Amino acid sequence: MLSLFFVDQLSAGTTQELGGDEGHHAVAVMRLGIGEQIKIADGAGNWVSGTITEVNKKSLKIDVAQRGSAQAGKPELIVVQAVTKSDRTKEMLELLTVGGADQIIPWQAERCISKWQNDSAQKWQSAIKEAAKQSRRVKLPVLGDEVTTNQLIKLFQPADKVVILHESASIGISQLNLSNEFARIILIIGPEGGISDAEISQLEAAGAVTARMGELVLRSAHAGFAALSAVQSSIGRW
């Protein structure tokens, strides 16, 4: 597969320039040269591919041979992820990105050890982009605003299926009716310390259901990927 790079906006013409940090990485780190082929995307699903025809110190240019657009699937898959410890954040975001999350919403749950910082959104977005490049994903997951529990429940819509993943649930995720009939499937992943009883009660009162993934307890950083895998299989996408 072709190496993937991102730009803020694609050209509508027959050539496409890759500059900035992405261009510098392609030229100085990957040492790509004239004649090699790459793909360039705008992060919203649109992409072009072609052969490199010009290489400068910190940028390159391709002749566009193909262009296309990745269409959003239905239902939209949203992962509400409790803010993880800093040493697990990158791994968590890599897994959610390659697992097919359409949107990732940071959740400041009651038992979160880490707190959302001023630069957290920038760091999360950077990790998402790197994971998308590695997996050749042209449409980046949307990073939502950080929310509290009260703010989270206000995001729920009547056509959503909202699932809280918790080890004490009486039913497994495979027993839920997860299908393409829902507009959005929202998966709620708690922190390492677990979701509090008060939070579960509040979320269930807002329409969420609680399910478990087997008998073993997963790390917060890994649970979202496992849940996405189960859902992708249930809706026939995998």
Side-chain angles (χ1 to χ4, degrees):
M1 297 179 70
L2 302 181
S3 295
L4 175 65
F5 301 90
F6 287 99
V7 294
D8 292 333
Q9 186 174 0
L10 291 174
S11 167
T14 58
T15 63
Q16 174 68 50
E17 184 174 0
L18 181 67
D21 291 340
E22 291 283 86
H24 179 263
H25 183 77
V27 174
V29 179
M30 298 184 68
R31 299 186 181 279
L32 296 177
I34 292 174
E36 296 187 76
Q37 294 186 337
I38 62 171
K39 179 180 284 189
I40 302 174
D42 63 1
N46 305 303
W47 59 269
V48 296
S49 65
T51 302
I52 299 173
T53 56
E54 181 180 322
V55 176
N56 300 304
K57 188 174 181 180
K58 294 184 179 181
S59 66
L60 58 78
K61 187 178 292 185
I62 68 170
D63 280 348
V64 176
Q66 290 183 302
R67 63 174 66 240
S69 180
Q71 302 302 313
K74 182 184 177 182
E76 182 182 1
L77 303 182
I78 301 174
V79 177
V80 177
Q81 174 68 55
V83 178
T84 52
K85 293 184 288 186
S86 58
D87 62 334
R88 294 285 178 180
T89 298
K90 183 178 180 181
E91 180 183 22
M92 173 271 294
L93 292 168
E94 287 175 346
L95 290 171
L96 294 185
T97 300
V98 302
D102 296 304
Q103 184 178 171
I104 301 169
I105 300 176
W107 174 34
Q108 195 68 63
E110 182 180 324
R111 295 175 179 169
C112 283
I113 297 174
S114 296
K115 302 297 181 184
W116 192 253
Q117 305 296 330
N118 292 335
D119 62 346
S120 292
Q122 181 181 354
K123 290 180 178 179
W124 281 43
Q125 191 65 63
S126 177
I128 288 171
K129 182 179 287 187
E130 288 304 311
K133 289 169 65 175
Q134 182 276 323
S135 60
R136 308 299 192 266
R137 177 175 174 173
V138 297
K139 184 175 175 58
L140 296 172
V142 174
L143 178 61
D145 294 332
E146 175 258 348
V147 295
T148 63
T149 303
N150 287 333
Q151 292 169 329
L152 173 58
I153 61 177
K154 293 178 181 179
L155 301 178
F156 298 168
Q157 299 174 9
D160 294 341
K161 181 70 171 182
V162 184
V163 183
I164 310 164
L165 282 306
H166 197 271
E167 67 270 17
S168 65
S170 58
I171 62 172
I173 192 170
S174 62
Q175 297 172 269
L176 298 178
N177 176 28
L178 300 177
S179 68
N180 294 315
E181 69 182 71
F182 300 105
R184 308 189 303 177
I185 296 177
I186 302 176
L187 303 170
I188 301 177
I189 310 299
E192 294 290 352
I195 304 174
S196 71
D197 292 341
E199 287 171 326
I200 291 177
S201 296
Q202 190 175 358
L203 292 167
E204 288 181 334
V209 297
T210 306
R212 56 181 166 78
M213 293 184 292
E215 300 299 326
L216 304 180
V217 178
L218 298 174
R219 285 188 178 275
S220 178
H222 302 160
F225 178 76
L228 281 171
S229 300
V231 172
Q232 296 274 31
S233 297
S234 293
I235 64 177
R237 202 174 290 177
W238 282 17

